[in-house]
Amino acid sequence: MFTRNMSYCTTKGYKIILVISLIVVLKLSFTYHRILLQSFKPQILQISYSEHNVTFRDSYESNIKYISEEKDMEINQIFNTISNNISSVPFRHLNLTTSAKMSRAKILSYRQQYCNGDSLTVRVDMFNYLGQRKTYGGDFLTARIYSTDLGAAASGRVEDFNNGSYNIHFILSWVGNVKISVILYHPSEGVSALWRARNAGYKNIIFTGNFLYKTQEIEKVCGFYLESQQEKCVYADKRDGEFFYCIKPPNVPCEALISMRSKIHHHSYLTKSEKTIFTKSNIGVEIPRDPGSIAVTNCQRNFTDMKPTCRIGMPVPYPSGYFLNNLWHSNFCNLSSFEPLSQINECLTGKLIYLMGDSTLRQWIEYFQKHMKSLKFFNLPGHGIHKRYLALDMDRNIYIQWKKHGHPFVSPGIYSVKDCAYIAREIDGLPGSPNTIIVITLGQHFRGFPLRLFIRRLLSVRKAIERIFQRSPETKIFIKVENSREINTDVERISDFHGYIQYLLFKDLFKRLNVGIIDAWEMTQAFASYNLHPPETVTRNQINMFLSYIC
């Protein structure tokens, strides 16, 4: 019995020793690995730390800060390049600013008759209200040629000699009596004032956020910059450096923000004297020209203009096309030989189309649904015209979605922020495929804010496009640049000068990507639509150009 108990004790003691040994080994192993992990620095961060107990959050925040600083440098470089090319003229008196009525436009090397395909150059010499010749450039001019009875029109390319003289270059692309229009939209003194005012701050437009928490509905001021010392909700996309703020309601979580609306703030960064430049009679004034029209005939010439097939990634010249019979014809690719809209159902079969942007792109999905009889809207939950739109053709397996872009979205009507995301994040959420098509537009809602905000957004979108091309090179992406709009005395928030700068910037930043450009700016300038939402004729031609790339 004693021996048996000794054997049992020996066995039991052995097991205890074994367990203790295992615990010691595990503890030593854990300590070793903890030290090893603490000293390990992930290569993806590529940032040095002075302490070994840096948490992942600290590492992430440091990495984001490094990326943000690098992006801020790029934004500043782009901004400074633009700023250096914009007139910087101090305003002294209205009489010393450029006067459209005192200025003159004349045709260089005028002839009694021109041939279809010829180039035409118009010289513009600028004078102030006192009749004195201007000695510097920087005026914002728009120009077009047109034949109303033919449904024909084209834009002109403005060349600034920076001495008060300009050459405007046109391509004569149809036969008939062609009229010439040159408009002084803003004088150089106005351009300087608008550029300074635009980049002075964020007070032109204010946002009101609606928080819903249990039974409470609370409205608070929101925006990109809030001077209030009250506690704020921060809605941040730290990767892309995007920040939006709302005053935080007491005892309400920031996640309770559900909707937003905006209104024009009666605030101006323009001085009282500068505002005299922007009276209604001084905006968008026609410059007298002599002669006001020319005759174009169909001369006999032995050449054939063979254009390549329209394809994504082609460089887009200016002017890039013209209207004839209210149909847009391309100057650089073979669009005019057929109308892709006639094949729209076959062309879009099996396609997933994502429209990302503002209401000028919502016009596309409305046009699709109107003219594709089997395409039906799916009634998604939400309220107002800015909710997400979805149209489906179940027989042809066509999926088309429109979704508004993220802040800023300027609208007096209430819209949901729960289905609102930055375009870069929307693109990141798509796997991409040969049948995936993304169309992007940005611009109209950014005009009332400093340009750096717009530059940052474009850089984020460009990076997102590069990422989707890495995982799906066959995904098709289009940029519909913003269009011109109505002439309005609210120049600080919606002037076409702001739109023109954004248009040039968009084209420049995306020209090296394999994307298709839909030049809505040039189309609306040529058509002289003067409407935020262009007429259906313009929308139809935008879509026709889009289809020519993919059909």
Side-chain angles (χ1 to χ4, degrees):
M1 184 69 181
F2 178 78
T3 305
R4 185 179 176 184
N5 286 339
M6 279 292 296
S7 175
Y8 170 79
C9 289
T10 302
T11 303
K12 184 177 181 182
Y14 173 77
K15 289 181 179 179
I16 292 171
I17 292 170
L18 182 61
V19 169
I20 293 171
S21 299
L22 285 171
I23 291 172
V24 171
V25 170
L26 287 171
K27 188 172 182 180
L28 288 172
S29 177
F30 173 78
T31 303
Y32 169 77
H33 284 91
R34 179 170 58 85
I35 294 171
L36 183 64
L37 286 169
Q38 285 174 344
S39 64
F40 175 67
K41 300 176 182 123
Q43 292 183 355
I44 192 170
L45 297 178
Q46 297 181 351
I47 297 175
S48 300
Y49 302 103
S50 58
E51 298 179 0
H52 291 295
N53 61 348
V54 177
T55 65
F56 175 78
R57 180 179 177 82
D58 292 333
S59 302
Y60 174 77
E61 296 286 351
S62 299
N63 194 30
I64 290 296
K65 182 180 179 182
Y66 173 76
I67 295 171
S68 179
E69 288 174 352
E70 194 175 56
K71 192 172 186 178
D72 287 344
M73 288 178 60
E74 186 177 7
I75 291 169
N76 287 331
Q77 288 173 354
I78 294 169
F79 178 86
N80 291 335
T81 299
I82 297 170
S83 188
N84 291 336
N85 285 279
I86 291 178
S87 174
S88 179
V89 184
F91 175 77
R92 291 176 290 171
H93 193 279
L94 182 63
N95 286 340
L96 299 177
T97 65
T98 312
S99 165
K101 297 299 183 184
M102 299 296 290
S103 300
R104 292 292 178 267
K106 65 178 181 179
I107 297 173
L108 295 183
S109 303
Y110 174 74
R111 306 196 302 268
Q112 291 292 326
Q113 184 174 293
Y114 292 83
C115 295
N116 186 13
D118 281 351
S119 296
L120 178 73
T121 302
V122 175
R123 179 64 170 258
V124 183
D125 295 311
M126 312 303 275
F127 294 81
N128 64 25
Y129 285 86
L130 300 177
Q132 299 168 337
R133 175 73 182 268
K134 295 294 290 291
T135 58
Y136 49 86
D139 301 289
F140 179 39
L141 301 173
T142 63
R144 63 190 287 260
I145 52 176
Y146 62 98
S147 300
T148 305
D149 57 327
L150 300 174
S155 295
R157 178 176 61 84
V158 179
E159 181 183 10
D160 186 351
F161 293 106
N162 297 309
N163 61 1
S165 293
Y166 303 79
N167 276 356
I168 302 175
H169 304 277
F170 298 100
I171 299 173
L172 303 176
S173 301
W174 64 89
V175 173
N177 184 55
V178 177
K179 295 181 180 179
I180 304 165
S181 172
V182 181
I183 290 176
L184 174 63
Y185 203 100
H186 294 311
S188 51
E189 295 80 5
V191 166
S192 298
L194 281 180
W195 178 249
R196 177 193 55 76
R198 174 177 185 173
N199 296 293
Y202 291 87
K203 293 182 179 180
N204 286 331
I205 298 170
I206 59 175
F207 295 88
T208 301
N210 184 37
F211 291 78
L212 179 62
Y213 185 62
K214 297 180 179 178
T215 60
Q216 299 182 76
E217 273 199 56
I218 307 166
E219 290 188 343
K220 289 293 181 180
V221 174
C222 302
F224 292 98
Y225 178 79
L226 300 179
E227 294 180 337
S228 172
Q229 298 303 309
Q230 299 179 62
E231 186 180 1
K232 300 175 184 67
C233 293
V234 182
Y235 303 98
D237 184 333
K238 293 184 178 180
R239 184 198 68 183
D240 292 336
E242 302 279 8
F243 295 88
F244 192 79
Y245 306 89
C246 290
I247 300 299
K248 186 181 183 301
N251 304 315
V252 173
C254 293
E255 293 79 7
L257 178 67
I258 60 166
S259 61
M260 191 82 62
R261 71 177 190 274
S262 66
K263 68 178 180 179
I264 303 301
H265 189 200
H266 295 294
H267 173 276
S268 177
Y269 291 104
L270 295 172
T271 66
K272 186 176 181 179
S273 58
E274 286 172 340
K275 290 178 182 179
T276 62
I277 305 174
F278 304 108
T279 59
K280 189 173 183 179
S281 60
N282 286 338
I283 303 173
V285 182
E286 192 90 25
I287 294 175
R289 62 234 167 262
D290 183 27
S293 63
I294 59 171
V296 180
T297 61
N298 196 8
C299 306
Q300 296 296 322
R301 289 180 172 174
N302 295 322
F303 72 90
T304 303
D305 184 14
M306 294 296 293
K307 298 172 186 173
T309 302
C310 298
R311 65 180 187 277
I312 292 174
M314 297 180 78
V316 180
Y318 194 99
S320 66
Y322 60 95
F323 283 102
L324 181 59
N325 297 320
N326 288 325
L327 179 66
W328 182 258
H329 298 258
S330 171
N331 285 335
F332 65 95
C333 68
N334 191 16
L335 172 64
S336 57
S337 62
F338 73 102
E339 188 175 3
L341 275 169
S342 62
Q343 308 170 18
I344 188 169
N345 286 309
E346 293 75 15
C347 182
L348 297 185
T349 295
K351 299 295 190 295
L352 304 169
I353 302 175
Y354 298 88
L355 308 175
M356 305 177 181
D358 58 35
S359 55
T360 65
L361 200 50
R362 189 182 67 227
Q363 288 180 271
W364 281 34
I365 195 170
E366 292 168 342
Y367 182 91
F368 285 135
Q369 194 275 333
K370 180 179 178 180
H371 293 276
M372 299 171 68
K373 301 306 180 185
S374 57
L375 188 71
K376 305 297 181 184
F377 276 128
F378 185 86
N379 189 21
L380 294 168
H383 59 273
I385 60 174
H386 301 309
K387 71 174 187 177
R388 184 163 66 98
Y389 283 52
L390 178 62
L392 303 170
D393 183 335
M394 303 301 290
D395 296 329
R396 293 184 174 89
N397 199 28
I398 300 173
Y399 175 104
I400 305 177
Q401 174 187 278
W402 173 82
K403 195 172 182 182
K404 63 183 177 292
H405 63 68
H407 307 303
F409 198 85
V410 180
S411 172
I414 296 174
Y415 58 89
S416 171
V417 297
K418 292 303 183 183
D419 63 349
C420 188
Y422 296 122
I423 287 179
R425 292 292 182 175
E426 295 281 0
I427 296 172
D428 287 341
L430 298 175
S433 73
N435 286 324
T436 297
I437 301 170
I438 301 171
V439 186
I440 300 163
T441 192
L442 286 169
Q444 297 287 350
H445 294 256
F446 288 80
R447 292 187 181 191
F449 300 94
L451 188 68
R452 283 185 173 88
L453 178 67
F454 187 65
I455 297 172
R456 179 179 297 278
R457 192 65 52 84
L458 292 192
L459 292 177
S460 298
V461 171
R462 189 175 69 177
K463 281 288 187 185
I465 291 173
E466 291 171 351
R467 287 191 291 269
I468 198 171
F469 280 156
Q470 288 174 349
R471 61 184 180 269
S472 177
E474 293 180 309
T475 296
K476 298 173 181 64
I477 297 182
F478 294 86
I479 304 297
K480 186 191 82 68
V481 293
E482 68 183 283
N483 52 261
S484 59
R485 60 180 300 170
E486 63 275 6
I487 294 176
N488 194 297
T489 55
D490 190 7
V491 291
E492 286 187 74
R493 296 165 186 84
I494 63 173
S495 170
D496 266 353
F497 165 68
H498 303 315
Y500 181 62
I501 296 299
Q502 294 177 170
Y503 160 70
L504 295 177
L505 179 61
F506 220 140
K507 289 184 69 176
D508 186 66
L509 288 181
F510 288 77
K511 65 185 178 183
R512 293 180 179 85
L513 291 181
N514 189 34
V515 299
I517 300 293
I518 309 300
D519 202 329
W521 179 271
E522 186 181 349
M523 287 187 184
T524 49
Q525 284 288 317
F527 201 82
S529 59
Y530 295 115
N531 197 320
L532 170 60
H533 298 106
E536 187 172 290
T537 297
V538 176
T539 302
R540 183 181 75 241
N541 281 284
Q542 291 173 5
I543 293 173
N544 199 47
M545 187 73 199
F546 160 72
L547 294 173
S548 71
Y549 285 108
I550 59 176
C551 292

